[in-house]
Amino acid sequence: MSGGLDTTLHAPARLQIAALLARVEEAEFATIRDIVEVSDSVLSKHLAALGEEGYVRLRKAAQDGRQRTWASLTRAGRKAFAAHMAALQELVASAQAAAVAE
Amino acid sequence: MSGGLDTTLHAPARLQIAALLARVEEAEFATIRDIVEVSDSVLSKHLAALGEEGYVRLRKAAQDGRQRTWASLTRAGRKAFAAHMAALQELVASAQAAAVAE
DNA sequence: GCCTCTCTTTCCATCTTGGAAACTGACTAA
DNA sequence: TTAGTCAGTTTCCAAGATGGAAAGAGAGGC
């Protein structure tokens, strides 16, 4: 019943995360958390969900003696995001077609 | 945390309903149900939700001796749908801005 | 009065989302 | 080496959505 929409990407929080990552090489955990405005635990879980789907890659490394995590979209992630946005556009278009047929 | 997105319209099923109605004067209950592919009860509940939000108007009338229900977007509904689509577009754009700032 | 058609409402089970708090791993400081 | 931080993770739990089946309800038809 989800008309081509990717449920993993459709949830508001993850849609924001994906949209953010779609325009960057990679982004830091804290940066994403502040932009999306969710708690650490929630962001961690969303990134994990995106990771399991193969959409996001997490890179952990130390910087200034502090451990940091960078997230980036995988190729599949970019593709899925683009497809999802396309599905949204199409949702409107197909609605139009259905209307004509009615 | 929902970046300007309208949660009432964001749920896949309701997004499809709204997209469909956005292009028609009005659509029949059964038509919507078949396009969105949900059960009667579910469609009824979604339309009720959209109605409570002031986005959809339901018109009931008899046709060929059968009682039918037509749904249509109210002006507020069309406005909200347009705004929601705009928010989706903007989500991508703002993500870009954030990326630059990073 | 009874039946059918067309939704509605109720009941219920499942899934998702979100935050707080506890926990882990890595590294710094004594 | 032990204690303390920082940066996420995982666990626990509560709340809200969503979906379908089944029972209801209203309007006509027979």
Side-chain angles (χ1 to χ4, degrees):
Chain A
M1 177 280 329
S2 44
L5 296 178
D6 185 322
T7 57
T8 300
L9 291 177
H10 195 258
R14 289 196 293 271
L15 188 56
Q16 285 185 74
I17 293 171
L20 168 56
L21 294 180
R23 300 297 184 168
V24 210
E25 276 299 307
E26 55 180 8
E28 212 178 295
F29 188 96
T31 304
I32 303 173
R33 180 199 57 205
D34 295 344
I35 292 176
V36 182
E37 295 185 275
V38 287
S39 62
D40 287 8
S41 67
V42 169
L43 176 57
S44 182
K45 282 182 282 191
H46 280 312
L47 287 179
L50 290 167
E52 276 167 33
E53 206 68 26
Y55 292 170
V56 163
R57 185 186 305 109
L58 296 180
R59 184 171 70 80
K60 291 156 186 281
Q63 185 188 53
D64 309 320
R66 294 266 148 273
Q67 183 179 268
R68 297 287 158 96
T69 297
W70 283 272
S72 58
L73 281 187
T74 59
R75 190 172 304 183
R78 291 184 186 281
K79 198 168 171 182
F81 180 69
H84 188 260
M85 293 314 276
L88 286 171
Q89 301 276 13
E90 201 164 327
L91 208 164
V92 180
S94 68
Q96 185 165 29
V100 171
E102 195 195 4
Chain B
M1 177 280 325
S2 45
L5 297 178
D6 185 321
T7 56
T8 300
L9 292 178
H10 195 257
R14 290 195 294 271
L15 189 56
Q16 285 185 75
I17 294 171
L20 168 56
L21 294 180
R23 299 297 182 168
V24 209
E25 276 299 308
E26 56 180 7
E28 211 178 293
F29 188 94
T31 304
I32 303 173
R33 180 199 56 203
D34 295 343
I35 292 176
V36 182
E37 295 186 273
V38 287
S39 62
D40 288 8
S41 66
V42 168
L43 176 58
S44 182
K45 282 183 280 192
H46 280 312
L47 287 179
L50 291 166
E52 276 168 33
E53 206 68 27
Y55 292 169
V56 163
R57 185 186 305 109
L58 295 180
R59 184 170 71 79
K60 291 155 186 284
Q63 186 187 50
D64 309 319
R66 296 264 149 274
Q67 182 181 266
R68 297 288 158 95
T69 299
W70 282 274
S72 58
L73 280 187
T74 60
R75 190 173 302 184
R78 291 184 186 281
K79 198 168 171 182
F81 180 69
H84 188 259
M85 293 312 277
L88 286 172
Q89 300 276 13
E90 201 164 327
L91 209 164
V92 180
S94 68
Q96 184 165 31
V100 171
E102 195 198 2

